[in-house]
Amino acid sequence: MKKRNCIFTIIVCLSICLRGQNLVKNPSFEEFEECPKKMGNIGVDVLYWGAATEGTTDYFNVCSSFMGVPKNFNGSQNADFGKGYAGLYFLAPNDYREYLQGELSQTLEKGQHYKLSFYLNLADKSTYAIKKIGVLFAKNKIEEEINQPLNFAEIQKEKNVFNYMEIDKNRFLSNKKKWMYVSTEIVANGDENYIVLGNFKNNKSTVYYKMHGVKGAAYYYIDNVTLEKTENTNYEDLVLDKTYVFDRVFFSTDEFKLNSKAKIELDKLYKELKSNPEFYITVHAHTDADGTHDYNKILSRKRAKSVAAYLVSLGLNKKRIRWEGHGGNKPVAQNDTENGKQKNRRAEFSISKNPFIDKGAYAETLFEDEN
């Protein structure tokens, strides 16, 4: 058994290297000491993972019958990758909580941007689905003798420096059949060594949705946790007539509004445009393959216009910007996964020093509505 586990671990490591350096140890829960035989044993069974509290976070693997894959006590689900995954309660009666805590391979670098992603699946027997997921990066390992929501004040008393955020997908995480791709970005404090996933709010403060199920709780499976460095956005030394993809300007399905991360990036771009009054910018926006051609064309135009309008609101002269929507005609990834669709719902721009004489055959300007 241990020999087979080692061979599988080598394969996992090779696949991770091909994607880039993942700083999460044992990201798909494939390295384990024992085949799981009972609930709440993840800290004993799995290498580099455990629970941050006395909540009984679970481990599932194909080698087990009771804690099996795909069938187990909370439903049936194949692993997203490999043979195992974790499971925990994000919502339960009496504010009961479970957390999943993992060890990072190195301390995060101060000021460095990182992308966190993982796959999530709502267990069949769950009655509720939640909307937000808490993510905590901590300097020291958290070991609290509670089974209710983690209290930040108590953690701070122990001088366990942390970096906390919430992932809000603008929709309820309610898919019981397919794995849902979840991601966010962080800027590191420079002392993070552990990651904790869970719901850090009590039941009253949790946004949830009632579904069909036999357990009055929200129980999720988690697999394939990835934390990778991303390039820090820097708009100095822009190359003329080169197409740049905005690092953080991505859109939710059917949405064209800019979120706070997108606005922060556009603020940086505006400063560079302000410093170079000879620059003219063209914004391009795209959709995934869902929806009709005409609908996607209109949606992409709205996305491009929202970027252009925000830059104008910062002070950019309208004569220096134009925009274009391409619909789903120019994908950069496959549209058969949530991750691929998210990459296709993107915005881009290019810089030139040629004034816009007219809107041309394809680009539009903000003057259209005014005329």
Side-chain angles (χ1 to χ4, degrees):
M1 173 64 77
K2 289 189 175 180
K3 183 177 180 181
R4 291 200 299 269
N5 290 344
C6 291
I7 293 173
F8 193 85
T9 299
I10 292 172
I11 296 173
V12 172
C13 291
L14 286 174
S15 67
I16 291 169
C17 290
L18 291 174
R19 294 198 311 264
Q21 186 182 9
N22 185 358
L23 301 182
V24 176
K25 292 184 177 182
N26 193 13
S28 294
F29 312 98
E30 301 304 319
E31 299 178 66
F32 58 94
E33 294 284 356
E34 298 290 341
C35 182
K37 296 180 176 64
K38 61 180 181 179
M39 295 184 289
N41 219 35
I42 191 168
V44 176
D45 294 336
V46 186
L47 296 178
Y48 311 117
W49 287 98
T53 67
E54 292 186 346
T56 56
T57 304
D58 303 309
Y59 176 54
F60 303 91
N61 194 289
V62 295
C63 65
S64 177
S65 55
F66 181 61
M67 305 298 292
V69 173
K71 294 184 178 180
N72 53 65
F73 68 89
N74 254 325
S76 179
Q77 182 56 252
N78 287 307
D80 173 68
F81 181 87
K83 300 180 179 180
Y85 50 73
L88 61 153
Y89 285 102
F90 282 72
L91 183 73
N94 302 316
D95 287 333
Y96 175 76
R97 291 290 181 273
E98 294 178 352
Y99 294 93
L100 179 63
Q101 179 168 226
E103 184 178 347
L104 304 181
S105 60
Q106 64 186 53
T107 303
L108 302 189
E109 301 171 20
K110 184 176 182 179
Q112 173 66 48
H113 292 257
Y114 295 87
K115 180 180 180 180
L116 169 69
S117 65
F118 52 91
Y119 284 83
L120 201 70
N121 179 258
L122 182 63
D124 294 331
K125 295 183 179 180
S126 299
T127 303
Y128 302 104
I130 64 171
K131 189 170 180 284
K132 299 179 181 180
I133 297 175
V135 181
L136 178 71
F137 287 90
K139 178 179 180 180
N140 304 311
K141 188 175 183 180
I142 298 176
E143 297 176 297
E144 295 292 313
E145 296 180 354
I146 58 172
N147 58 13
Q148 292 188 314
L150 277 169
N151 188 306
F152 289 157
E154 291 298 323
I155 297 174
Q156 284 180 311
K157 286 181 181 179
E158 299 174 5
K159 298 181 179 179
N160 196 341
V161 181
F162 61 86
N163 188 343
Y164 174 77
M165 73 212 64
E166 286 186 340
I167 302 176
D168 187 351
K169 296 296 291 183
N170 294 319
R171 58 183 173 84
F172 288 98
L173 299 162
S174 58
N175 201 321
K176 292 185 177 182
K177 294 182 178 180
K178 296 182 179 180
W179 287 94
M180 299 169 282
Y181 178 77
V182 179
S183 66
T184 190
E185 291 189 4
I186 71 156
V187 179
N189 292 332
D191 48 24
E192 299 92 336
N193 294 301
Y194 292 88
I195 180 175
V196 181
L197 301 175
N199 179 9
F200 294 77
K201 294 182 177 179
N202 59 27
N203 291 355
K204 185 178 180 180
S205 302
T206 299
V207 180
Y208 59 89
Y209 172 75
K210 190 171 183 179
M211 304 180 63
H212 294 292
V214 297
K215 287 188 175 181
Y219 188 94
Y220 287 88
Y221 305 123
I222 293 180
D223 201 1
N224 214 355
V225 185
T226 302
L227 182 69
E228 298 174 320
K229 284 185 179 181
T230 61
E231 293 185 8
N232 293 355
T233 304
N234 184 359
Y235 291 117
E236 297 178 2
D237 302 321
L238 289 170
V239 178
L240 297 179
D241 301 317
K242 175 182 176 180
T243 299
Y244 292 88
V245 179
F246 287 107
D247 288 338
R248 295 170 183 82
V249 182
F250 289 91
F251 301 91
S252 299
T253 303
D254 293 332
E255 292 288 337
F256 59 88
K257 294 181 180 180
L258 300 173
N259 59 28
S260 58
K261 291 181 180 179
K263 291 180 180 179
I264 291 173
E265 183 168 358
L266 293 176
D267 289 346
K268 295 178 181 179
L269 176 59
Y270 170 70
K271 290 180 181 179
E272 189 65 18
L273 294 172
K274 184 178 180 181
S275 301
N276 295 275
E278 73 278 13
F279 283 176
Y280 292 79
I281 179 173
T282 300
V283 177
H284 305 269
H286 308 265
T287 70
D288 57 33
D290 292 347
T292 66
H293 172 79
D294 291 341
Y295 177 82
N296 287 339
K297 186 70 174 180
I298 294 172
L299 179 60
S300 65
R301 288 170 59 189
K302 289 180 178 180
R303 288 173 174 174
K305 187 174 181 178
S306 67
V307 173
Y310 183 74
L311 290 171
V312 170
S313 73
L314 295 176
L316 187 67
N317 191 310
K318 293 181 180 180
K319 295 181 179 180
R320 295 176 59 193
I321 191 167
R322 62 181 182 178
W323 49 272
E324 179 184 3
H326 300 274
N329 295 332
K330 296 184 177 183
V332 294
Q334 296 295 322
N335 280 290
D336 54 357
T337 67
E338 284 301 319
N339 189 17
K341 290 179 181 180
Q342 179 67 80
K343 290 180 179 179
N344 290 331
R345 296 192 295 266
R346 69 195 188 281
E348 305 167 329
F349 72 93
S350 59
I351 298 293
S352 72
K353 287 189 175 182
N354 299 318
F356 301 134
I357 298 175
D358 54 48
K359 73 177 185 179
Y362 61 92
E364 303 178 72
T365 75
L366 293 176
F367 297 113
E368 234 183 14
D369 290 346
E370 298 172 359
N371 293 334

